Amino acid sequence: MPVSDYAMVNAWQQVLTLSQLQPGQTVTILTGATTHAQTLSTALIAAQSMGAIVNRLDLPPVNGDKALSRDPLAYLGTTPLTGNQAAIAALKASDIVLDLMTLLFSPEQHEILKSGTKILLAVEPPEILVRMVPTPADRERVKEASACIDAAKTMHVTSPAGTDVRFALGEFPAISEYGYVDEPGRWDHWPSGFALTWPDEGSAEGVIVIDRGDILLPQKCYANDAIRITVSGGYATQIEGGVDAELLNSYMASFNDPEGYAISHIGWGLQPRAHWSTLSLYDREASIGMDARAFEGNFLFSLGPNNEAGGNRTTACHIDIPLRGCTVRLDDRIVVEHGKVLFPPASGEPQ
């Protein structure tokens, strides 16, 4: 159900406090055609109430003639900042950018972050934002998971459905997403709560089985039948199954880009306030599916780019697929067992 403006202002104040917003700092709110009006209005109030200098930068949509979906992650081509030096300069001059538009996988975003500007993405419906206001405990748990990834050389994922895939680690850093931006040049996404990395180029080998009930994004649907993906040399080389596999194959083929089949980020969900079932309760255009990406115990793998981690692979095709019931091993340590997180434990659980 809807939330009050009071609840949203309070949520924004909590997130901005965690993001170390100080009086006199500049906050620029980046908006577009799909920005939620309540999220925008309450962000303006919250930032001003904390003594910030607040600007709004509204940019027109792009890629609508190329994408097969209205989801903002359905086509990662140019962005509204491409070639827009005036907008880039305004964002680089800001202390914090609140991205209510969805600016991802772009060299312009990397340039802005390198200037020390923080960027916080927040595009889910207000009630989802309020339910998953981040906490310092979220940060601590996700950072522990990321440190465990950084220390590992391999990730091995299995499932009763037939997944058995291995990844070499170490070429790319682990990334912590916990929902706020507390360091200069940091990007994060509210809501979130997961740790991830990218496998070494060409290292992924095995089979991934998307079982019934697992989720495909940006399709924002639950699989009705199993989809079997053969992984070789770091790429999905075969996608087999019934109608769901045909739909996935057809969607990916529409990009006409072999790099779309590369294994992208891998990791697991750590957010107990996110739920596998939430996607079934929303219209497809209302949400980008952060519950699905972050729910505790999922194994989330992706197909597509790795430039967010410093790699050279860019592609307009990007697919996130959270799986249930998997066991995830880092070297010889089990961190997720049959969909239950063993490490890091939830607050209060034994190590």
Side-chain angles (χ1 to χ4, degrees), residues 107-121:
E108 294 81 17
Q109 177 168 286
H110 296 160
E111 179 183 346
I112 294 162
L113 291 170
K114 285 179 181 178
S115 73
T117 297
K118 307 171 186 177
I119 301 178
L120 180 66
L121 176 64

Side-chain angles (χ1 to χ4, degrees), residues 40 51 64 83 154 161-162 186 188 202-203 208 214 216 229 244:
L40 169 60
T154 62
R186 176 171 173 78
D188 211 314
S203 72
I208 298 174
D214 291 334
L216 287 86
I229 300 177
D244 285 343

Side-chain angles (χ1 to χ4, degrees), residues 162-182:
T163 293
D164 190 347
V165 61
R166 295 178 183 270
F167 313 93
L169 306 179
E171 184 176 351
F172 300 102
I175 304 296
S176 302
E177 291 194 22
Y178 46 81
Y180 56 94
V181 287
D182 54 341

Side-chain angles (χ1 to χ4, degrees), residues 2 14 25 117 263 266 281:
Q14 292 180 63
Q25 290 188 329
T117 297
I263 299 296
I266 51 175
L281 305 174

Side-chain angles (χ1 to χ4, degrees), residues 61-326:
V62 296
N63 301 322
D65 57 327
K66 301 169 185 170
L68 300 185
S69 164
R70 289 173 60 89
D71 188 282
L73 302 181
Y75 192 95
L76 302 180
T78 57
T79 77
L81 288 182
T82 303
N84 192 339
Q85 293 302 316
I88 293 170
L91 298 178
K92 289 171 69 173
S94 306
D95 294 287
I96 299 179
V97 172
L98 303 180
D99 180 4
L100 311 189
M101 179 191 73
T102 311
L103 175 68
L104 276 175
F105 299 100
S106 70
E108 294 81 17
Q109 177 168 286
H110 296 160
E111 179 183 346
I112 294 162
L113 291 170
K114 285 179 181 178
S115 73
T117 297
K118 307 171 186 177
I119 301 178
L120 180 66
L121 176 64
V123 293
E124 287 289 61
E127 64 275 12
I128 292 179
L129 296 175
V130 168
R131 171 163 48 87
M132 287 193 275
V133 173
T135 68
D138 291 334
R139 179 186 185 277
E140 181 179 351
R141 194 178 188 206
V142 172
K143 295 286 276 187
E144 282 188 64
S146 293
C148 193
I149 293 172
D150 274 331
K153 300 298 184 183
T154 62
M155 181 184 292
H156 180 204
V157 182
T158 58
S159 78
T163 293
D164 190 347
V165 61
R166 295 178 183 270
F167 313 93
L169 306 179
E171 184 176 351
F172 300 102
I175 304 296
S176 302
E177 291 194 22
Y178 46 81
Y180 56 94
V181 287
D182 54 341
E183 301 170 358
R186 176 171 173 78
W187 177 94
D188 211 314
H189 190 170
W190 170 32
S192 56
F194 47 88
L196 64 144
T197 190
W198 281 254
D200 293 0
E201 285 284 26
S203 72
E205 297 282 346
V207 173
I208 298 174
V209 177
I210 303 168
D211 202 6
R212 291 186 65 188
D214 291 334
I215 296 172
L216 287 86
L217 304 164
Q219 288 84 348
K220 288 180 281 196
C221 67
Y222 298 89
N224 292 301
D225 295 294
I227 303 172
R228 179 184 174 90
I229 300 177
T230 302
V231 179
S232 179
Y235 286 78
T237 57
Q238 202 165 20
I239 300 174
E240 302 171 285
V243 172
D244 285 343
E246 292 181 33
L247 288 169
L248 181 57
N249 268 314
S250 176
Y251 177 78
M252 295 184 69
S254 72
F255 291 87
N256 193 31
D257 184 357
E259 296 304 320
Y261 294 85
I263 299 296
S264 184
H265 57 76
I266 51 175
W268 68 98
L270 290 162
Q271 180 51 265
R273 299 187 303 281
H275 302 283
W276 164 76
S277 59
T278 301
L279 192 68
S280 67
L281 305 174
Y282 275 84
D283 179 271
R284 284 188 182 184
E285 294 187 8
S287 162
I288 65 168
M290 287 307 293
D291 272 274
R293 289 179 172 91
F295 72 85
E296 185 169 15
N298 74 25
F299 167 64
L300 175 65
F301 81 98
S302 174
L303 299 170
N306 67 0
N307 58 319
E308 286 289 281
N312 297 318
R313 189 173 60 251
T314 59
T315 175
C317 181
H318 179 68
I319 299 174
D320 285 339
I321 305 176
L323 307 181
R324 297 184 298 159
C326 291

